[in-house]
Amino acid sequence: MGRQKVNFMQVKVKIQEKIEKVEFNGETTEDLLKKMNINTESVLIKRNGKFVPVEDKIKNMDEIEVINIVSSG
Amino acid sequence: MKCYSCGNPAVIYRKYEGRAWCKKHFSRQLESKIKATIKKDKLVEKGDKICVALSGGKDSCLTLYLMDKFFGKRPDINVFALSIDEGIKGYRDESIKKARKLCKKLNIPFHLYSFKEEFGKTMDEILKNKEARACTYCGVFRRYILNKKSRELGATRLATGHNLDDEIQSIFINNLKGDTNRLMRLGAKPVAVKKDFVNRIKPLRYIPEKETTLYAMLNGIEFHDSRCPNAEDSVRFDVRKFLNDMEEKYPGTKHIIICHFDTILPALRKYFADKGSVGVCPKCGEPTSRALCKVCELLENL
Ligand code: SF4
Ligand SMILES: [Zn+2]
Ligand SMILES: [Zn+2]
């Protein structure tokens, strides 16, 4: 039985004008969103200022912006 | 991830499709998808005057932007925008600023009508002395003005910004409420022409909300993105969450729902052939299938 690879990271997350530091165990924005309990369908992601797929790998100390998709009335 | 087409860094990966796209190819692809919808369902034809219902939100702004991009240079097709000021302070005034700004930028005629002028009261005033559910009044009044004014302005098509998510949410809601008539009205193609009803078209009907937002942001379309203060956590809210959970877990769900709906819709419409004949409201003269139209009924209650 091999040990599961643990991938601890800390990233800066900007969400609704607030910036917080989040530590999590994973590789992609998708993992991060899962930990934050956010549905990937309801947000867009910018990494270091650029739109990226949630499946993209992220690096330690990356800046992740979570943009909420607002349904227009 | 790399773009499927050119290998540049991707801005989105579509799980339902299994491909990633860069900004350029994502934008191009989205445009051709929408063009294909317009062509296949004959949403726009020679000689059409397209009135875009412009709220200033992302989807209506995108609809206007694309209608202009696709048809703006055609001498035989006309595009203009119609906005409605319901009178919701701190919300609609802001979104109308964006709507006006976009029209100016694209050089598109902009028409504005308000609840205050048409019905004598703003939404805020209606809510002040009434335990009313805001959206009941708001939605009915807005659809009334949209139809009446677009018709008076000579529109042959009324384009709205409904996206894939909006559409499948409506399909679910009408199923949950058992509302067959409303369900049947959700098609892609304009429903059989009835006198005095301007044909509605929804060019974004097959585009997920996530992608309409991304396109608008990538292409510098400025839009208003806050939530109406009167919006409640309604059935739609729960259905939206449910469908997003399903899509996340089973990619492709949203497309399957709409494709399946389109498949059974003709049979539904045939079986439940529209019995309600359209008459004229004795009070305001607008088309209705009721004795008194819904607007006049609500107005009596105010
Ligand atoms: S949420 Fe309700 S009150 Fe607000 S604009 Fe939409 S329909 Fe009107
Ligand atoms: Zn590309
Ligand atoms: Zn009436």
Side-chain angles (χ1 to χ4, degrees):
Chain A
M1 288 281 235
R3 267 179 55 200
Q4 258 219 284
K5 202 175 144 218
V6 180
N7 218 331
F8 268 113
M9 249 193 279
Q10 192 190 56
V11 290
K12 250 195 232 165
V13 179
K14 187 176 168 200
I15 182 163
Q16 284 165 345
E17 303 303 317
K18 269 184 247 146
I19 297 179
E20 47 182 302
K21 282 191 178 147
V22 180
E23 278 181 24
F24 79 110
N25 174 14
E27 297 192 318
T28 63
T29 322
E30 207 172 11
D31 299 331
L32 171 69
L33 292 176
K34 198 164 271 170
K35 153 146 193 185
M36 296 177 75
N37 221 344
I38 295 171
N39 185 300
T40 54
E41 281 287 301
S42 64
V43 293
L44 290 170
I45 298 297
K46 274 185 172 178
R47 181 169 61 109
N48 303 328
K50 286 202 168 109
F51 282 108
V52 290
V54 292
E55 292 81 1
D56 263 14
K57 290 214 161 72
I58 45 182
K59 289 199 215 70
N60 208 14
M61 300 316 285
D62 267 350
E63 273 189 45
I64 305 293
E65 187 179 346
V66 180
I67 300 163
N68 254 320
I69 297 170
V70 179
S71 300
S72 33
Chain B
M1 293 189 136
K2 301 258 181 276
C3 173
Y4 173 79
S5 178
C6 71
N8 282 332
V11 293
I12 188 171
Y13 173 70
R14 290 190 183 129
K15 270 214 175 96
Y16 63 83
E17 181 188 61
R19 285 175 189 168
W21 303 96
C22 70
K23 173 186 166 182
K24 183 172 119 192
H25 289 108
F26 163 72
S27 301
R28 259 194 211 169
Q29 241 238 346
L30 204 93
E31 286 169 23
S32 39
K33 222 169 144 181
I34 295 166
K35 269 189 199 158
T37 305
I38 293 173
K39 206 166 172 191
K40 176 177 146 278
D41 293 325
K42 298 199 178 69
L43 298 189
V44 177
E45 294 173 292
K46 219 174 140 78
D48 267 336
K49 288 189 169 54
I50 310 166
C51 171
V52 177
L54 187 65
S55 71
K58 64 184 194 309
D59 296 312
S60 66
C61 285
L62 176 56
T63 304
L64 183 72
Y65 175 91
L66 290 176
M67 289 302 103
D68 178 59
K69 187 161 187 174
F70 298 162
F71 305 112
K73 292 205 175 68
R74 289 259 304 257
D76 57 332
I77 291 175
N78 235 299
V79 180
F80 62 92
L82 199 170
S83 289
I84 295 177
D85 183 358
E86 298 96 342
I88 304 170
K89 221 175 158 46
Y91 172 68
R92 189 55 84 212
D93 37 358
E94 293 303 318
S95 77
I96 284 173
K97 275 185 207 155
K98 299 278 184 192
R100 196 190 290 275
K101 201 171 159 193
L102 181 64
C103 287
K104 206 166 173 189
K105 189 173 155 191
L106 299 174
N107 201 13
I108 290 173
F110 173 74
H111 302 270
L112 179 66
Y113 297 93
S114 69
F115 279 16
K116 184 78 180 172
E117 282 165 54
E118 299 301 315
F119 306 118
K121 275 184 181 172
T122 64
M123 213 40 225
D124 288 343
E125 286 167 353
I126 290 172
L127 291 176
K128 211 177 275 169
N129 36 21
K130 196 89 190 156
E131 266 295 307
R133 295 206 35 222
C135 304
T136 310
Y137 287 88
C138 193
V140 170
F141 287 176
R142 180 172 49 235
R143 279 190 293 276
Y144 178 92
I145 303 184
L146 276 176
N147 186 62
K148 188 174 174 195
K149 295 300 173 185
S150 62
R151 190 186 66 226
E152 287 171 7
L153 291 164
T156 54
R157 292 286 190 264
L158 179 57
T160 58
H162 294 94
N163 57 43
L164 174 61
D165 293 69
D166 296 329
E167 281 295 282
I168 60 172
Q169 284 159 20
S170 297
I171 293 170
F172 267 68
I173 291 168
N174 288 319
N175 272 302
L176 291 172
K177 295 190 172 164
D179 194 332
T180 317
N181 282 325
R182 282 243 171 110
L183 186 67
M184 288 191 301
R185 267 184 247 144
L186 288 174
K189 265 190 205 170
V191 194
V193 191
K194 280 178 194 149
K195 203 177 146 276
D196 288 344
F197 275 118
V198 180
N199 272 327
R200 299 194 160 221
I201 57 169
K202 302 167 187 168
L204 310 182
R205 189 171 183 266
Y206 299 100
I207 313 295
E209 183 164 50
K210 192 171 165 134
E211 297 184 25
T212 60
T213 311
L214 181 60
Y215 182 101
M217 289 187 154
L218 285 172
N219 291 281
I221 302 171
E222 266 190 63
F223 59 86
H224 179 247
D225 74 345
S226 69
R227 218 165 103 103
C228 173
N230 301 328
E232 301 156 30
D233 287 353
S234 54
V235 181
R236 184 171 289 273
F237 184 86
D238 292 329
V239 167
R240 180 179 192 247
K241 188 173 179 312
F242 169 72
L243 290 169
N244 277 344
D245 286 344
M246 292 301 281
E247 180 70 27
E248 196 179 57
K249 205 163 172 189
Y250 311 106
T253 299
K254 290 179 181 176
H255 286 88
I256 292 173
I257 294 170
I258 200 136
C259 287
H260 179 246
F261 178 71
D262 286 354
T263 307
I264 60 171
L265 184 61
L268 268 179
R269 282 187 180 160
K270 204 168 160 194
Y271 187 80
F272 297 102
D274 214 345
K275 284 163 245 117
S277 62
V278 176
V280 166
C281 174
K283 208 161 174 191
C284 71
E286 282 298 292
T288 179
S289 47
R290 314 151 59 103
L292 198 61
C293 85
K294 186 84 189 158
V295 169
C296 290
E297 189 192 303
L298 286 174
L299 282 174
E300 285 195 339
N301 287 327
L302 283 188

